[in-house]
Amino acid sequence: QLQLQESGPGLVKPSETLSLTCTVSDGSLTDTYYWGWIRQSPGKGLEWIGIISHTGATYYNPSLQTRLSMFMDMSKNQFSLTLDSLTAADTAIYYCGRRVNYFDHWGQGTLVTVSS
Amino acid sequence: EIVLTQSPATLSVSPGDRVTLSCRASQSVGSDLAWYQQKPGQAPRLLISGASTRATGIPGRFSGSGSGTGFTLTITSLQSEDSAVYYCQQYYDWPPRYTFGQGTKLEI
């Protein structure tokens, strides 16, 4: 059974960069899927962040694309994101997931708080 | 951006009841719509894709219908474990511009 697990800092200061990693178990990033990130905050509900393919092709939410990067580490079966210039509005639970158009597998989520 | 509007925002029902949740899209998404269930402290769980196809392991009590701009999720023989927030998501656009509805909270 495919499993995904997010990891990263729980607290980040405003203006700093967030780095999150998703580790995939019992599945391979070389499979022909896209892998993605979604976040959930009380004020904005569920928000799609971006997806990355097994070839490294990326598609980002236009509202985040100037601050966002996603990449894969096939050797570790991980994919990651970095989000720059954080503000309080980026405070959310961040989920990673496997995208088959919709998201059929999700990680448990990791809470990221942006605060000084 | 395609906006999804779910109604009602909250619904209180009794065990054994049948409920219908609505999701309306601001423009046609064909059948490219999914439904998720989210319980407190958990990630969303895929229920329905392609507007009407149940995901693996989802009970037959859950059914989806609709196309274009109007969609419904119907749950029959409600059980206490069905208490959750239900979200719809469209995946019509390419390049992707995925959006989610704001959710319907179901209280049993």
Side-chain angles (χ1 to χ4, degrees):
Chain A
Q1 172 76 345
L2 181 71
Q3 295 187 38
L4 300 97
Q5 178 68 57
E6 305 87 351
S7 59
L11 180 65
V12 190
K13 290 182 169 55
S15 79
E16 292 189 344
T17 296
L18 171 65
S19 294
L20 293 176
T21 295
C22 182
T23 302
V24 177
S25 305
D26 294 324
S28 174
L29 291 181
T30 60
D31 293 339
T32 54
Y33 294 104
Y34 280 81
W35 306 85
W37 294 92
I38 307 99
R39 67 182 183 180
Q40 185 172 33
S41 59
K44 294 189 70 174
L46 288 164
E47 180 180 29
W48 168 67
I49 296 172
I51 56 174
I52 184 168
S53 76
H54 67 289
T55 62
T58 55
Y59 296 92
Y60 300 151
N61 187 320
S63 68
L64 298 171
Q65 65 182 16
T66 61
R67 302 191 289 134
L68 179 64
S69 292
M70 295 177 61
F71 49 96
M72 305 188 95
D73 186 338
M74 297 292 194
S75 67
K76 296 182 179 178
N77 224 31
Q78 295 175 335
F79 61 99
S80 302
L81 71 76
T82 62
L83 187 64
D84 301 330
S85 305
L86 293 175
T87 70
D90 296 309
T91 293
I93 298 172
Y94 285 73
Y95 297 99
C96 62
R98 187 179 77 173
R99 173 258 183 199
V100 187
N101 288 320
Y102 42 88
F103 291 90
D104 66 343
H105 287 83
W106 297 61
Q108 66 184 28
T110 187
L111 175 63
V112 174
T113 302
V114 181
S115 175
S116 55
Chain B
E1 175 180 292
I2 298 174
V3 176
L4 299 179
T5 303
Q6 293 187 241
S7 61
T10 304
L11 194 55
S12 294
V13 295
S14 299
D17 282 355
R18 173 182 185 273
V19 294
T20 298
L21 283 57
S22 174
C23 176
R24 289 213 164 268
S26 59
Q27 64 188 73
S28 177
V29 298
S31 296
D32 292 342
L33 189 107
W35 289 93
Y36 300 88
Q37 176 194 65
Q38 186 178 34
K39 297 181 179 180
Q42 297 184 16
R45 172 196 184 196
L46 177 68
L47 295 176
I48 301 284
S49 64
S52 61
T53 302
R54 274 190 303 277
T56 302
I58 302 303
R61 304 184 293 105
F62 293 85
S63 63
S65 65
S67 65
T69 60
F71 301 87
T72 59
L73 174 68
T74 300
I75 314 171
T76 61
S77 303
L78 277 163
Q79 303 177 6
S80 58
E81 67 197 45
D82 299 330
S83 291
V85 180
Y86 292 83
Y87 294 96
C88 55
Q89 179 227 330
Q90 65 80 20
Y91 47 93
Y92 180 76
D93 288 333
W94 189 264
R97 299 287 186 267
Y98 305 136
T99 53
F100 293 84
Q102 82 279 17
T104 292
K105 184 176 183 179
L106 183 62
E107 300 174 335
I108 303 172

